[in-house]
Amino acid sequence: MSGGRIVVAGLTKQYKELRAVDNLSFNVEPGRITGFLGPNGAGKTTTLRMLLGLVKPTAGTATLDGQRYADLKDPLRHVGAVLEASSAHKGRSGINQLRVICAAAGLPRGRADEVLALVGLTPAAKRKFKGYSLGMRQRLGIAAAMLGDPRVLILDEPANGLDPEGIRWMRDLLKGLAAEGRTVLVSSHLLSEMELLADDLVIIAAGKLIRQGPLAEVMDSMGDIGTVRVRTPQAEAFAKQLTEQGATVTPAEGGLLRVSGLDAPAVGRAALAGQVELHELTTERPDLERVFLELTAGKAGIR
Ligand SMILES: Nc1ncnc2c1ncn2[C@@H]1O[C@H](COP(=O)(O)OP(=O)(O)OP(=O)(O)O)[C@@H](O)[C@H]1O
Ligand SMILES: [Mg+2]
């Protein structure tokens, strides 16, 4: 599989007073899962809709291998998208829903059965869409997106409504698709899930880019918000000493101290200088939720 690179350059969407997306630029690479993150109202859905030619940009471009979505000859074979569950015909069965899309797009009818099996919906194939649960609707949306066997998959909050087993299933599916060389761009608010899923991150707030890069780099760039865990039988005295050196110390049970504002080597040196006996000294990496909140702090989501 080749191609599938998404380039967003200077993308802007102005709605009357509100600049929903503001001069946004980022790249999405094939063979990787890119997590698209931002507070509510940050402009994620608007960006994805511009990428799919559903919203006209005020300025800038979003292209796939240099082409705008509207200029793609056979869009379903290039890009599959799941924007929100249930723009479906309520009285139709799941399988018929997919067959209608196949017919309209000139895809072989049997493809509907294949993608239904891919998302584990075969047992419910003939049931009417209106009787589908939220998670089943999400799965049907993913099935529809996969009909054209696209190189690029764009998913807006795909984990909505999925149970833990469903979330794991989705993670495995998306990782498998990326491993085949496809481009996977996925927005989500489930940061612990994103931490397991994404290779790269694009973080926006108030329509603007905050950070982009490999997950590990984004996490490491915030290394200084990590805390140091230290355990000592002289907790009280050591806490006082560290506080005097400018650290913030939160004591816990059993002689445990959580120290921020000093790194582990500095805490170790302080212990040596103060002749403090240490039973534990580790750096706790911040999780993605902490990094995200730190990066987007004060950049109000809802405008
Ligand atoms: N058609 C529209 N007309 C006016 N304002 C709009 C329109 N579509 C979106 N907006 C506004 O643009 C901003 C960005 O919305 P968008 O849906 O892109 O955010 P989001 O990042 O997807 O948020 P969420 O995490 O809640 O899904 C919001 O303030 C929203 O109200
Ligand atoms: Mg949205």
Side-chain angles (χ1 to χ4, degrees):
M1 199 159 290
S2 67
R5 186 162 195 259
I6 296 170
V7 176
V8 170
L11 200 61
T12 300
K13 182 66 191 180
Q14 183 82 33
Y15 286 117
K16 294 213 177 91
E17 318 282 80
L18 181 88
R19 189 160 284 225
V21 175
D22 191 358
N23 194 21
L24 186 60
S25 301
F26 62 85
N27 301 332
V28 183
E29 303 297 337
R32 300 172 71 80
I33 298 177
T34 300
F36 191 29
L37 309 181
N40 290 132
K44 301 179 298 296
T45 299
T46 306
T47 300
L48 298 180
R49 292 178 73 84
M50 286 194 277
L51 200 48
L52 295 165
L54 298 169
V55 165
K56 190 172 180 294
T58 308
T61 54
T63 54
L64 167 64
D65 295 328
Q67 282 191 292
R68 292 184 316 144
Y69 186 88
D71 298 331
L72 294 173
K73 282 207 188 60
D74 212 348
L76 287 196
R77 293 184 197 269
H78 289 282
V79 186
V82 185
L83 284 195
E84 54 232 349
S86 88
S87 54
H89 189 293
K90 304 259 184 296
R92 240 177 227 149
S93 67
I95 189 74
N96 279 339
Q97 204 81 250
L98 297 175
R99 285 179 181 151
V100 167
I101 304 174
C102 284
L107 296 165
R109 187 179 157 90
R111 187 65 189 147
D113 302 272
E114 285 172 24
V115 295
L116 214 59
L118 177 73
V119 302
L121 271 182
T122 305
K126 294 192 175 134
R127 278 169 54 192
K128 292 210 167 98
F129 180 80
K130 65 181 172 198
Y132 275 18
S133 71
L134 185 54
M136 288 161 76
R137 288 173 189 213
Q138 285 288 20
R139 287 176 190 244
L140 187 67
I142 294 170
M146 291 306 296
L147 277 173
D149 196 18
R151 281 176 300 162
V152 176
L153 206 58
I154 294 174
L155 307 130
D156 197 10
E157 308 275 353
N160 264 355
L162 293 183
D163 59 18
E165 190 275 327
I167 288 179
R168 173 183 286 191
W169 162 80
M170 162 107 65
R171 186 192 310 146
D172 293 344
L173 175 75
L174 297 184
K175 284 191 182 238
L177 294 172
E180 289 167 9
R182 293 177 220 258
T183 309
V184 181
L185 176 60
V186 49
S187 85
S188 176
H189 290 291
L190 302 177
L191 296 175
S192 53
E193 174 55 24
M194 238 350 147
E195 209 169 337
L196 295 174
L197 182 67
D199 302 301
D200 295 326
L201 293 180
V202 173
I203 303 179
I204 68 169
K208 292 192 173 76
L209 184 73
I210 300 292
R211 197 63 65 97
Q212 78 164 313
L215 173 77
E217 267 175 37
V218 173
M219 303 285 286
D220 287 349
S221 72
M222 300 299 286
D224 52 342
I225 65 166
T227 54
V228 176
R229 254 175 84 95
V230 52
R231 198 183 291 277
T232 165
Q234 294 138 267
E236 204 174 318
F238 194 40
K240 186 160 173 286
Q241 184 193 338
L242 291 171
T243 308
E244 281 162 7
Q245 291 187 23
T248 306
V249 182
T250 313
E253 300 279 283
L256 178 68
L257 303 174
R258 280 209 169 72
V259 184
S260 55
L262 289 178
D263 61 9
V267 173
R269 275 194 300 276
L272 186 64
Q275 301 221 314
V276 173
E277 177 183 336
L278 292 190
H279 294 177
E280 184 182 334
L281 177 64
T282 43
T283 304
E284 287 182 333
R285 260 175 64 114
D287 60 11
L288 181 57
E289 178 179 84
R290 183 97 196 282
V291 170
F292 175 83
L293 290 173
E294 199 79 20
L295 283 171
T296 57
K299 293 170 179 129
I302 297 171
R303 293 169 283 161

